[in-house]
Amino acid sequence: MKILSKAVIGIMALLSLVCMSCEKLLKVQPPANQINRGLVFEDQQTANAALAGLYAGIRENSIIAGDKLGPILGAYTDELDQHASTTANAIFDIYQNQQIESNSVVYTAWQSTYQQVYAANAILQGVESATKIVSGEKNRLRGETLFLRSLLLFYLQQHFGDIPYPRTTDYLDNGKLVKTPAAQVLRSLEADLRESASLLNDANSNTERIFANKKTAEMLLAKVLMEQRRWADAEVLLQNIIQSGQYSWEADLNKVFVKTGKHVIWQLKPSLDGVPTQEANIYYFGNAAPTGYAISANLYNAFANSDQRKQKWITSVTVGANTWYRAYKYKLTLNNSTEYSIIFRLEEAYLLLAEALANQDKVAQGVPYVNASRQRAGLIALPLTISRPELSDEILEENRREFFAEMGKRFFDLKRAGQLERLKQTKPNWKTFHQLWPLPQKDLLLNPALNPQNLGY
Amino acid sequence: MYKKYTNKRGASRRRILKIWLMIRLTTVVLIATLMQVSAASLAQRVTINQKKTTLAKVFREIHRQTGYDFLYAKGLLDQKRLLDVKAENEPLEQVLEKALSGQSLSFTIEDKMIVIKEQSFIERVVAYFDKIDVSGKVVDERGQPIAGATIKVKGTDLFTSSGVDGTFLIKNVNENSFLVISYIGFQVREVKAAKELGNISLLVEVGELSEVIVNAGYYSVKDSERTGSISRITSKDIQNQPVGNVLSAAQGRMAGVSIVQTTGVPGGGYDIQIRGRNSLRNKNNSEIDGNTPLYVIDGIPFGSELSSQYSTVILPGRSINPLNSIHPNDIEKLEILKDADATAIYGSRGANGVVLVTTKKGKPGKMRLAFNSSLAMSSMVSALEMMDTQQYLAMRKAAFANNNITAYPATAYDINGKWDQGRFTDWREALLGNNAISSNNQLSVSGGSETTSFLISAGHQQQTTVFSKDFNYKTSNLSSQLSHRSVDGKFQLNTSNSFSIQGNNMLRSDYTKQAFNLSPNAPSLYKADGSLNWEENTFTNPVASFNATYSNEQKQFLNSLNMQYTLFKDFQVKLSGGLNYQRFEELSLQPNTMYNPAFVSGQSSANSRAFKNNQDRFSFILEPQLNWTYKSGDHQLDVLGGATFQREVSELSSVMGYGFESNLFLGNIAAAKTKVIDDQISSEYRYGAIFGRLNYQFNNRYIVNLTGRRDGSSRFGPNKKFANFAAIGAGWLFGKEDFLSGADWLSFGKLRGSFGTAGSDNIGDYQYLDTYTVSTSSVYNNINGIIPSRLYNPDYSWEKTTKLEFALEVGLFKNLIDFSLARYINGSTNQLIGYQLPSVAGFASVLSNLDAKVRNTGWEFELSARPLSGKFKWETGFNLTLPKNKLISFPALEGSSYANQFMVGYPTSIIKLYNLEGLNPATGAYVFTDYNGDGKISSPQDNRVVEDLTVKYFGGWNNSFSLGNLNLSFLFQFVSQRNRNYNNGLTVPGSMNNQPREVLNAWSAQNPSAAYMPYTTLSSPPHLLFQSSTAAVSDGSYIRLKNIQLAYKLPIKTAVFKHISLYMQGQNVLTFTNYFGVDPEFTVLGFLPPLKTYSFGLEFTL
């Protein structure tokens, strides 16, 4: 047995010798398509690329993407009909106001938006510890990112009410995060947006108005304030935007959705040259019955015949005896070189200001801001003597006509005005609790701290 | 020398002349010896059976039996020389002759004294001239020739193989030597050399257990002496089956191995589980399934599945099985390593079992050309019956009536008069009713000399689909194999090369689901002019999807090289190496014509899209090994040590094109208006290990086997790269014990057991890095955006599985009946999974080790018997596996992200369901049990019924009957399980979807005790609950006639053909089941289930 043990020891010694260099043998090349996180914020260029990734993520893959917010909330309220050929699908349930907590559209909206919030937090953390980026650039990066995170959380809050407000990338903490009450969310958004506005300049960093600037942050801040019913504070901001001279009224209805317009406050640029906006594709159908979204009869009838928007922003499709209407604001489904997805435009600031003024009983001051878009569309001006409730009503209606199929504005306007109950007239399944969407079931199961579920679900 | 003359039966005449002089010189002595030998042989007979023994031992035994003494000079006998001596009541001198054969020793017997001397010069000269050419024919008991039998001249290096007709010829054989004739499955026979030996018949080996050599990966072991658990099937079971992947042929044949084919579309994947699911990581919660086995082909580990990018909607799970590239007829045997003893030597990759594929090798002998051709026809079968038009329309009308809708909506074309309500189309027949035709041709040439043999095989397979004949899957293989050994036997070399091309040209999306859901009165697919019918844009035409194609081409070169050199006695150095190059190209073409031209995407080729993905993977492996065998008396020791180094580089690049001038340019992305170059990903994987094995046997009865491995993998973070794995196995061949020597009925008996660990590193590369990824979909303002790659966790480490096994193997009545029983207990800890996180965390999961433990236990039972072995032969085999899977612990499961997916004390494949109590007879509403009594049915409060979807037991029963040239064999496969049924994916009854006839039993005032709620056209929350209720899971057990084969060997022998046989095969022929759904084996609705196939083939040999 001596020979045996000697032999075994010999073999093992030999093999261990071979393996002494194992550590070295296992060293691999880093992956070519990935960059170490630490290096990203060591360089201005890559930090910008991270921010570009966030803008693109919001455009492609968040609740406010052009093919999400507008059509989904349009169908949820009274703007759009959904003509899915099979009724058993998630968007049809939303259209029927029958969404349940496992609805996949609801889940995707929630999940994709929080993914972008994570990306924003990653940039905020990276910029914070960056050593080689100059402070001016650092401010811009932080300002834009804070704005984008606020935008995402604002729309989440509007859909879901109380929501978690993650501020870091720590998944252990975020995975157990409890909900922040809606009022507190709005207060935090206000703080974040004030900081963002203070870090950003009025000048656009790009002539195409595709990056957030100071006014963009203030526009969102105004919306946040209006949700808090702080009309006077909102008025100041909106006046400031309108009178800044940076933006001018677009008189031609045909040019409202053209990217070069001076009325554009902020728009998202499609991924590549020639690629159409998501809004142009999502509402399209031609020569056939719709299988997706079409303008509801209710909305179509809300336009007076003299309203130019009825001709210019809506088009009809007739098949046999049936005629359907589709939203035609964005027109290019091919070879798009002139349209970007507009998020904020001056018209919204006008109507928000009118609303802020009306709510402070400044009716005569408010009326001209409603008339601007009315008159452009060929409607007669409202008299300055109109009553306050009448004005509020006119603002709601004008918002509906001006912003149909855009950013889900109808839902948020009705909600802010406390008028969601109106939907009961046209939507048979509408219940009061539909003012909020259900928190996704999957996340409630993964993080029980998110309980309780929103009322009614 | 004198003795030799006396025994000479017939020297050649020309040699007699040559040695005449010598004979004269010794005449006197000759006569004397002759007398003595005869006397001795009359008096003494000896029975002896010693293996690997020494001369000294043989002499002692002869002394014991005869009382004769031996006399020889000290140092004359070579103590180290080992020989086998076997004699059954044979004359003493013949036994001595056998024992001394091949040694330069002679003997004389005087009185009771045997004198051993060195051969004199003359004797040697005589021996030199005394050479003859030996010829003969090896046959079996029935006189049928045995081709490829080895004929070896005992004590020399001379050997040959019998040809196809069983004949052989060995030149220059020492006239007094013995020939050892052996062939796998037959008893070894020794005959004395003679010029014309005539027919030498071999007896069938009694019992398969005795001398079958099992490939255990780094070493081979006799089946009777193995301590590990290894299942195997051989070419006998695989040959000629109408399948594209050997795993289909293995279904139901191996205990402990569950194989499920995931699609009936050719070129897809398999779900293979060896002794259950160890890892919690599956395709639902992770990119890479943590339960796939390691595939090793001719010693070369085959990389994991290539990740297909565009096959999501045609191949379930985008899975393409690695073994698709090997023609089943090229496979000699398939071995599956299951327990710790067998898998620990594969260390970090052995946790889920190891699948060893050995390809066919050439055999020495005459050159042989074989051709095999078959034609098969496959069709889709499902017992599910759907509603006809009348029933369907009645359902729809009732649904609208239930919803108080009297004016049918504009889009309800089936019922609002738009579509002809008198039409009826069986859409399964129309869309899936095509017979898929496959052809298979294979040619092989083999042959070789005593030292070198070769095999070259070329094959081509082609298969169309049940969707349409325009789509097909083709594979072509060319493989060659070469073996060489030096004349002295010290150097051995084996190399095999195989090149294969797989081309899969499919439609882009499997429309099986539509074939079940489409309204039976939906319009025709084509207009009279042959163009697609959109029925004025009211019809989403399913065959429009024919316009969109998914195709892939995989070229693969696989090489393996094994060299071995015997450095000195019983000590070998070995070098194994190999390389694997795969090139995979995928093309997904989505022309606008796949859509209705009325819609934006269908308008013009400006909306056409093309996607192309290329992957290259090159890997090489080097494994130097040392092997040492030590024998002393009853002790035998085998030592193996080795090291592994593997490097794999994968490159992936994809391009996309949007908008084409014409669809004719679709294949050329350069012609696209918008071109996007996606990630150019390259990744590297390195792997290094040392491993060893120590096997000790005592008295051929007691065996201990130790294996171990230290592994390093680049897939882990800096501090977690290395891990150790080891196992101990032991066996006791109790059948050889003296106390059982009287038990004639027991021909073999072994108890074995093993304990050890194995692991898994199948998690993908670079997962521990904290990085940003460049993303082509994240372009903003012409800046290529970068996005966080993943949540960062650098500290995860190896997943480990501990395996324990005990087994009993018994052969009865001369191995007429063999059975084995195994019990295994496996525990997996340190679960490495994508820990699911709520969306707020930013990513759906993070890779980390979970301190959860999964236990897989089970019983495996195998029985084989040969009830009839005469003219009419019957062989039968049965296997049964009873697996159990249980989640043993999961700290803080409640409150974790897995609370709704797993339960401690239950299997990992449970689902939680709502309890459907029935229907409210008054309203037809589903009544679910409201466990928490809050008046609301919700998760996780009310889905409390736990259904276990683990297979309860499974197995197979195969039989083979032969009578003369006719052979009939069949295999039944059976599985007992609960499975999700059709209700799980049921569309709302009453919506514009066809339904199974069972749904006719819906509630109405006249039918208050129905199974389904009243029809409705609206989406229905209760229906969603119903889909996740106890009604959606039911018995999914089945018995399937998996394979049946009838083969006939033509009784002709011409100058040209040596052998011709015809065969007919059926695959998935019959299924017995109560399952409510498309196919019980198959659980994913929406994809094509495995097909039923009949084939006819011909095989001949030249």
Side-chain angles (χ1 to χ4, degrees), chain A residues 3-4 7 11 14-15 18-19 22-23 25-37 40-41 46 49-50 52-53 55-56 59-60 83 86-88 93 96 98 100 107 110-111 114-115 118 122-123 164 166 171 174-175 177 206 208 210-211 267-269 271-273 281 284 286-289 291 333-334 441 443 445-448 457, chain B residues 411 413 537 598-600 603 606-607 626 628 637 639 641-643 645 674 676 679-682 684 686-688 690-691 712-714 721-722 766 769-774 777-793 836-843 846 895-897 900 936 939-940 988 991 993 1017-1019 1021 1024:
Chain A
I3 310 167
L4 161 70
I11 291 164
L14 191 73
L15 291 175
V18 173
C19 219
C22 273
E23 196 79 51
L25 285 176
L26 295 180
K27 213 172 146 61
V28 288
Q29 292 291 318
N33 63 326
Q34 295 176 30
I35 306 160
N36 197 303
R37 187 191 291 255
V40 170
F41 298 97
T46 47
Y55 273 100
R59 179 193 65 216
E60 302 289 330
H83 293 270
T86 163
T87 49
D93 286 353
Q96 295 274 322
Q98 287 182 324
I100 54 175
Y107 175 72
W110 169 275
Q111 178 271 331
Y114 270 112
Q115 192 171 356
Y118 174 88
I123 296 173
Y171 60 85
N174 291 343
L177 214 55
N206 175 292
E208 290 193 304
I210 56 172
F211 293 100
Q267 56 193 351
L268 287 172
K269 182 176 177 174
S271 58
L272 299 165
D273 295 338
N281 277 337
Y284 182 87
N287 311 323
T291 52
T333 56
L334 282 175
Q441 180 190 41
D443 275 39
L445 295 173
L446 290 169
N447 178 13
Y457 294 100
Chain B
T411 52
Y413 308 113
N537 306 318
F599 301 131
V600 60
Q603 281 180 331
N607 291 302
L626 302 172
W628 180 55
L637 188 74
V639 182
F645 176 68
T674 307
V676 179
D679 276 357
Q680 309 291 302
I681 297 171
S682 69
E684 190 185 358
R686 285 173 181 243
Y687 178 88
I690 49 168
F691 56 86
S713 164
S714 66
K721 281 193 164 38
F722 294 93
Y766 304 121
L769 292 178
D770 183 24
T771 60
Y772 269 72
T773 299
V774 183
S777 61
S778 301
V779 178
Y780 197 69
N781 196 31
N782 303 325
I783 300 171
N784 282 319
I786 54 175
I787 53 175
S789 311
R790 62 186 74 81
L791 294 175
Y792 165 62
N793 175 12
Q836 278 181 297
L837 294 167
S839 309
V840 179
F843 282 85
V846 60
S896 88
S897 55
N900 207 38
K936 200 162 82 145
S939 171
V988 177
S991 61
N993 290 296
T1017 61
L1018 305 173
S1019 78
L1024 292 176

Side-chain angles (χ1 to χ4, degrees), chain B residues 49 85 106 109 119 152 315 330 382 519 697 892 973:
Chain B
N49 184 5
V85 183
S106 66
I109 303 177
Q119 280 178 342
K152 191 171 191 281
L315 303 175
D330 278 340
S382 172
S519 308
Q697 286 188 27
Q973 179 203 10

Side-chain angles (χ1 to χ4, degrees), chain A residues 369-386:
Chain A
Y369 291 106
V370 187
N371 282 339
S373 52
R374 278 181 69 91
Q375 285 173 309
R376 179 175 69 182
L379 300 176
I380 52 156
L382 298 172
L384 298 179
T385 54
I386 194 169

Side-chain angles (χ1 to χ4, degrees), chain B residues 382-601:
Chain B
S382 172
L384 203 65
E385 289 204 50
M386 305 302 282
M387 291 183 188
D388 61 23
T389 302
Q390 219 182 346
Q391 293 165 327
Y392 170 77
L393 291 176
M395 169 185 80
R396 288 283 283 161
K397 282 176 187 152
F400 281 108
N402 290 341
N403 296 338
N404 298 319
I405 297 171
T406 44
Y408 295 134
T411 52
Y413 308 113
D414 53 341
I415 195 162
N416 67 5
K418 184 73 200 165
W419 292 352
D420 181 358
Q421 299 189 12
R423 276 186 69 85
F424 170 71
T425 311
D426 179 348
W427 287 112
R428 274 190 298 169
E429 186 57 37
L431 295 173
L432 306 171
N434 187 40
N435 280 319
I437 306 291
S438 52
S439 64
N440 178 13
N441 292 295
Q442 211 192 10
L443 183 75
S444 71
V445 182
S446 66
S449 68
E450 287 153 18
T451 52
T452 306
S453 67
F454 71 95
L455 174 98
I456 293 169
S457 157
H460 181 73
Q461 258 187 318
Q462 187 165 350
Q463 185 175 350
T464 64
T465 65
V466 296
F467 306 112
S468 151
K469 286 197 168 53
D470 298 340
F471 301 105
N472 59 45
Y473 173 65
K474 293 179 193 173
T475 57
S476 305
N477 307 65
L478 181 66
S479 58
S480 63
Q481 185 276 330
L482 184 78
S483 303
H484 174 76
R485 42 167 238 134
S486 62
V487 179
D488 62 4
K490 281 188 168 178
F491 178 74
Q492 283 181 31
L493 179 145
N494 267 301
T495 177
S496 59
N497 292 295
S498 89
F499 180 73
S500 71
I501 301 181
Q502 291 176 64
N504 204 348
N505 176 24
M506 286 292 132
L507 63 171
R508 187 178 151 268
S509 60
D510 185 339
Y511 56 46
T512 305
K513 197 172 190 168
Q514 276 146 288
F516 283 88
N517 284 350
L518 211 55
S519 308
N521 70 326
S524 61
L525 298 170
Y526 298 99
K527 290 187 198 162
D529 64 3
S531 63
L532 282 179
N533 178 26
W534 299 99
E535 197 74 7
E536 294 171 355
N537 306 318
T538 61
F539 179 41
T540 308
N541 194 326
V543 295
S545 59
F546 283 174
N547 291 326
T549 56
Y550 166 78
S551 56
N552 67 38
E553 188 181 68
Q554 187 178 344
K555 295 190 185 106
Q556 177 167 37
F557 177 73
L558 188 70
N559 156 276
S560 86
L561 177 69
N562 285 290
M563 286 183 292
Q564 183 179 320
Y565 186 73
T566 306
L567 209 55
F568 40 90
K569 197 165 149 51
D570 297 329
F571 189 89
Q572 283 111 26
V573 276
K574 219 171 141 181
L575 181 69
S576 300
L579 49 92
N580 183 5
Y581 177 71
Q582 283 165 286
R583 187 179 159 75
F584 183 65
E585 185 174 294
E586 274 184 304
L587 203 56
S588 178
L589 303 181
Q590 298 165 31
N592 64 303
T593 52
M594 67 187 277
Y595 300 109
N596 188 332
F599 301 131
V600 60
S601 41

Side-chain angles (χ1 to χ4, degrees), chain A residues 101 441 444-445, chain B residues 900 914 936-943 1025:
Chain A
E101 59 181 356
Q441 180 190 41
L444 284 178
L445 295 173
Chain B
N900 207 38
Y914 300 104
K936 200 162 82 145
I937 304 301
S938 59
S939 171
Q941 292 82 21
D942 297 315
N943 53 341
L1025 295 175

Side-chain angles (χ1 to χ4, degrees), chain A residues 84-304:
Chain A
S85 57
T86 163
T87 49
N89 71 32
I91 184 63
F92 200 80
D93 286 353
I94 287 178
Y95 168 57
Q96 295 274 322
N97 306 123
Q98 287 182 324
Q99 77 275 12
I100 54 175
E101 59 181 356
S102 58
N103 187 291
S104 63
V105 170
V106 172
Y107 175 72
T108 307
W110 169 275
Q111 178 271 331
S112 60
T113 308
Y114 270 112
Q115 192 171 356
Q116 304 310 327
V117 171
Y118 174 88
N121 283 329
I123 296 173
L124 291 175
Q125 282 182 358
V127 170
E128 186 80 46
S129 53
T131 51
K132 291 181 184 155
I133 300 177
V134 294
S135 72
E137 280 300 302
K138 257 177 132 166
N139 285 344
R140 181 186 60 81
L141 286 165
R142 179 170 171 80
E144 286 189 42
T145 309
L146 267 178
F147 162 75
L148 292 172
R149 187 180 76 180
S150 302
L151 181 82
L152 295 162
L153 289 168
F154 174 70
Y155 279 103
L156 281 170
Q157 188 281 321
Q158 290 289 294
H159 281 85
F160 297 98
D162 302 347
I163 54 159
Y165 202 115
R167 290 167 187 279
T168 68
T169 55
D170 185 335
Y171 60 85
L172 294 175
D173 285 351
N174 291 343
K176 291 182 219 139
L177 214 55
V178 296
K179 287 185 290 189
T180 304
Q184 178 59 45
V185 171
L186 293 174
R187 279 197 294 277
S188 299
L189 288 173
E190 182 189 344
D192 282 349
L193 286 166
R194 285 201 192 280
E195 187 192 345
S196 167
S198 75
L199 292 169
L200 293 173
N201 298 321
D202 270 333
N204 279 301
S205 61
N206 175 292
T207 52
E208 290 193 304
R209 306 183 176 202
I210 56 172
F211 293 100
N213 65 2
K214 189 186 201 79
K215 289 287 184 291
T216 317
E218 285 175 350
M219 177 78 184
L220 181 58
L221 178 57
K223 294 175 76 154
V224 169
L225 294 173
M226 290 197 53
E227 290 301 329
Q228 295 172 301
R229 314 191 74 75
R230 289 161 62 187
W231 312 114
D233 293 341
E235 183 194 333
V236 174
L237 284 166
L238 292 164
Q239 291 281 14
N240 185 20
I241 291 168
I242 292 166
Q243 282 153 24
S244 65
Q246 281 179 257
Y247 311 99
S248 55
W249 187 260
E250 176 58 62
D252 184 351
L253 272 185
N254 290 322
K255 291 185 179 166
V256 172
F257 298 96
V258 172
K259 65 178 186 181
T260 49
K262 293 281 172 268
H263 64 297
V264 174
I265 297 174
W266 179 46
Q267 56 193 351
L268 287 172
K269 182 176 177 174
S271 58
L272 299 165
D273 295 338
V275 171
T277 58
Q278 291 150 320
E279 291 89 337
N281 277 337
I282 192 79
Y283 301 113
Y284 182 87
F285 59 97
N287 311 323
T291 52
Y293 303 96
I295 299 258
S296 71
N298 189 276
L299 172 63
Y300 189 73
N301 294 330
F303 287 94

